[in-house]
Coordinates of all heavy atoms in Angstrom, one line a residue:
Chain B
L20 N -1.9 18.7 102.0 CA -1.0 18.4 100.9 C -0.8 19.7 100.1 O -1.8 20.3 99.7 CB -1.6 17.3 100.0 CG -0.8 16.7 98.9 CD1 -1.1 15.3 98.6 CD2 -1.0 17.6 97.6
S21 N 0.5 20.0 99.8 CA 0.8 21.2 99.0 C 1.7 20.7 97.9 O 2.6 19.9 98.1 CB 1.4 22.3 99.8 OG 0.5 22.8 100.8
L22 N 1.4 21.2 96.6 CA 2.1 20.8 95.5 C 1.9 21.8 94.4 O 0.8 22.4 94.3 CB 1.7 19.4 95.0 CG 2.2 18.9 93.7 CD1 3.7 18.5 93.8 CD2 1.4 17.6 93.3
R23 N 2.9 22.0 93.5 CA 2.7 22.9 92.4 C 3.2 22.2 91.1 O 4.3 21.7 91.1 CB 3.5 24.2 92.6 CG 3.4 25.2 91.5 CD 4.4 26.3 91.8 NE 4.7 26.9 90.5 CZ 4.7 28.2 90.4 NH1 4.4 29.0 91.4 NH2 5.0 28.7 89.2
I24 N 2.4 22.1 90.1 CA 2.7 21.4 88.9 C 2.8 22.5 87.8 O 1.9 23.3 87.6 CB 1.7 20.4 88.5 CG1 1.7 19.3 89.6 CG2 2.0 19.8 87.1 CD1 0.5 18.3 89.5
D25 N 4.0 22.6 87.2 CA 4.2 23.7 86.2 C 3.6 23.5 84.9 O 3.3 22.3 84.5 CB 5.7 24.0 86.1 CG 6.3 24.6 87.3 OD1 5.7 25.5 87.9 OD2 7.4 24.1 87.7
D26 N 3.5 24.5 84.1 CA 3.0 24.4 82.8 C 3.9 23.5 81.9 O 5.1 23.7 82.0 CB 2.9 25.8 82.1 CG 1.6 26.6 82.5 OD1 0.6 25.9 82.8 OD2 1.7 27.8 82.5
G27 N 3.3 22.7 81.2 CA 4.0 21.8 80.3 C 4.7 20.7 80.9 O 5.5 20.0 80.3
E28 N 4.5 20.5 82.2 CA 5.2 19.4 82.9 C 4.4 18.1 82.8 O 3.1 18.1 82.9 CB 5.3 19.8 84.4 CG 6.2 19.0 85.2 CD 6.5 19.5 86.6 OE1 5.7 20.3 87.1 OE2 7.4 19.1 87.2
F29 N 5.1 17.0 82.7 CA 4.5 15.7 82.8 C 4.8 15.2 84.3 O 5.9 14.9 84.6 CB 5.2 14.7 81.8 CG 4.3 13.6 81.5 CD1 4.0 13.3 80.2 CD2 3.7 12.8 82.5 CE1 3.2 12.2 79.9 CE2 2.9 11.7 82.2 CZ 2.6 11.4 80.8
F30 N 3.7 15.3 85.1 CA 3.9 15.0 86.5 C 3.2 13.7 86.8 O 2.0 13.5 86.5 CB 3.2 16.1 87.3 CG 3.7 16.1 88.8 CD1 4.7 16.8 89.2 CD2 3.0 15.3 89.7 CE1 5.1 16.7 90.6 CE2 3.3 15.2 91.0 CZ 4.4 15.9 91.5
V31 N 3.9 12.8 87.4 CA 3.4 11.4 87.8 C 3.2 11.2 89.2 O 4.1 11.5 90.0 CB 4.3 10.3 87.1 CG1 3.7 9.0 87.5 CG2 4.4 10.5 85.7
L32 N 2.1 10.7 89.6 CA 1.8 10.4 91.0 C 1.9 8.9 91.1 O 1.1 8.2 90.4 CB 0.4 10.8 91.4 CG 0.1 12.1 92.0 CD1 -1.4 12.2 92.2 CD2 0.8 12.3 93.4
V33 N 2.8 8.4 92.0 CA 2.7 6.9 92.3 C 2.5 6.7 93.7 O 2.7 7.6 94.6 CB 4.1 6.2 91.9 CG1 4.3 6.2 90.4 CG2 5.2 7.0 92.6
G34 N 2.1 5.5 94.0 CA 1.8 5.2 95.4 C 1.0 4.0 95.6 O 0.4 3.6 94.6
P35 N 1.0 3.3 96.7 CA 0.3 2.1 96.9 C -1.2 2.3 96.8 O -1.7 3.4 96.9 CB 0.7 1.6 98.3 CG 1.2 2.8 99.0 CD 1.7 3.7 97.9
S36 N -2.0 1.3 96.6 CA -3.4 1.3 96.5 C -4.0 1.9 97.7 O -3.6 1.6 98.8 CB -4.0 -0.1 96.3 OG -5.3 0.0 95.9
G37 N -4.9 2.8 97.6 CA -5.6 3.5 98.7 C -4.9 4.6 99.3 O -5.3 5.2 100.3
S38 N -3.7 5.1 98.6 CA -3.0 6.2 99.2 C -3.6 7.5 98.9 O -3.2 8.5 99.4 CB -1.6 6.1 98.7 OG -1.5 6.1 97.3
G39 N -4.6 7.5 98.0 CA -5.4 8.8 97.8 C -5.0 9.4 96.4 O -5.4 10.6 96.2
K40 N -4.4 8.7 95.5 CA -4.0 9.3 94.3 C -5.1 9.8 93.4 O -5.2 10.9 92.9 CB -3.1 8.3 93.5 CG -1.9 7.7 94.2 CD -1.2 6.7 93.4 CE -2.0 5.5 93.0 NZ -2.3 4.6 94.1
S41 N -6.1 8.8 93.2 CA -7.2 9.2 92.4 C -8.0 10.3 93.0 O -8.5 11.2 92.3 CB -8.2 8.0 92.3 OG -7.5 6.9 91.6
T42 N -8.2 10.3 94.3 CA -8.9 11.3 95.0 C -8.3 12.7 94.8 O -8.9 13.7 94.4 CB -9.0 11.0 96.5 OG1 -9.6 9.7 96.7 CG2 -9.9 12.0 97.2
L43 N -6.9 12.7 94.9 CA -6.2 14.0 94.7 C -6.4 14.5 93.2 O -6.7 15.7 93.0 CB -4.7 13.8 94.9 CG -3.9 15.1 94.8 CD1 -4.3 16.0 95.9 CD2 -2.4 14.7 94.9
L44 N -6.3 13.6 92.3 CA -6.5 13.9 90.9 C -7.9 14.5 90.7 O -8.1 15.5 90.0 CB -6.4 12.6 90.1 CG -6.3 12.8 88.5 CD1 -4.8 13.0 88.2 CD2 -6.8 11.5 87.8
R45 N -8.9 13.9 91.3 CA -10.3 14.4 91.1 C -10.6 15.7 91.8 O -11.7 16.3 91.5 CB -11.3 13.3 91.6 CG -11.2 12.0 90.8 CD -12.1 11.0 91.3 NE -11.9 9.7 90.7 CZ -12.1 8.6 91.3 NH1 -12.6 8.5 92.5 NH2 -11.8 7.5 90.6
T46 N -9.8 16.1 92.7 CA -10.0 17.4 93.3 C -9.8 18.5 92.3 O -10.3 19.6 92.4 CB -9.1 17.7 94.5 OG1 -7.8 17.7 94.1 CG2 -9.4 16.7 95.6
V47 N -9.0 18.2 91.2 CA -8.7 19.2 90.2 C -9.8 19.5 89.3 O -10.1 20.7 89.1 CB -7.5 18.8 89.3 CG1 -7.1 19.8 88.3 CG2 -6.2 18.5 90.2
N48 N -10.6 18.5 88.9 CA -11.8 18.8 88.1 C -13.1 18.7 88.9 O -14.2 18.6 88.4 CB -11.8 17.9 86.8 CG -12.0 16.4 87.2 OD1 -12.0 16.0 88.3 ND2 -12.0 15.6 86.1
R49 N -12.9 18.7 90.2 CA -14.0 18.8 91.1 C -15.0 17.6 91.1 O -16.1 17.7 91.5 CB -14.8 20.1 90.9 CG -14.2 21.2 91.6 CD -14.9 22.5 91.4 NE -16.2 22.6 91.9 CZ -17.1 23.5 91.5 NH1 -16.8 24.5 90.7 NH2 -18.3 23.5 92.0

Side-chain angles (χ1 to χ4, degrees):
Chain B
L20 186 149
S21 296
L22 171 70
R23 182 190 154 129
I24 298 167
D25 288 319
D26 276 334
E28 192 173 18
F29 202 126
F30 193 96
V31 180
L32 268 178
V33 288
S36 195
S38 55
K40 306 179 297 294
S41 299
T42 306
L43 184 65
L44 192 86
R45 290 176 195 154
T46 62
V47 178
N48 61 3
R49 280 176 62 194

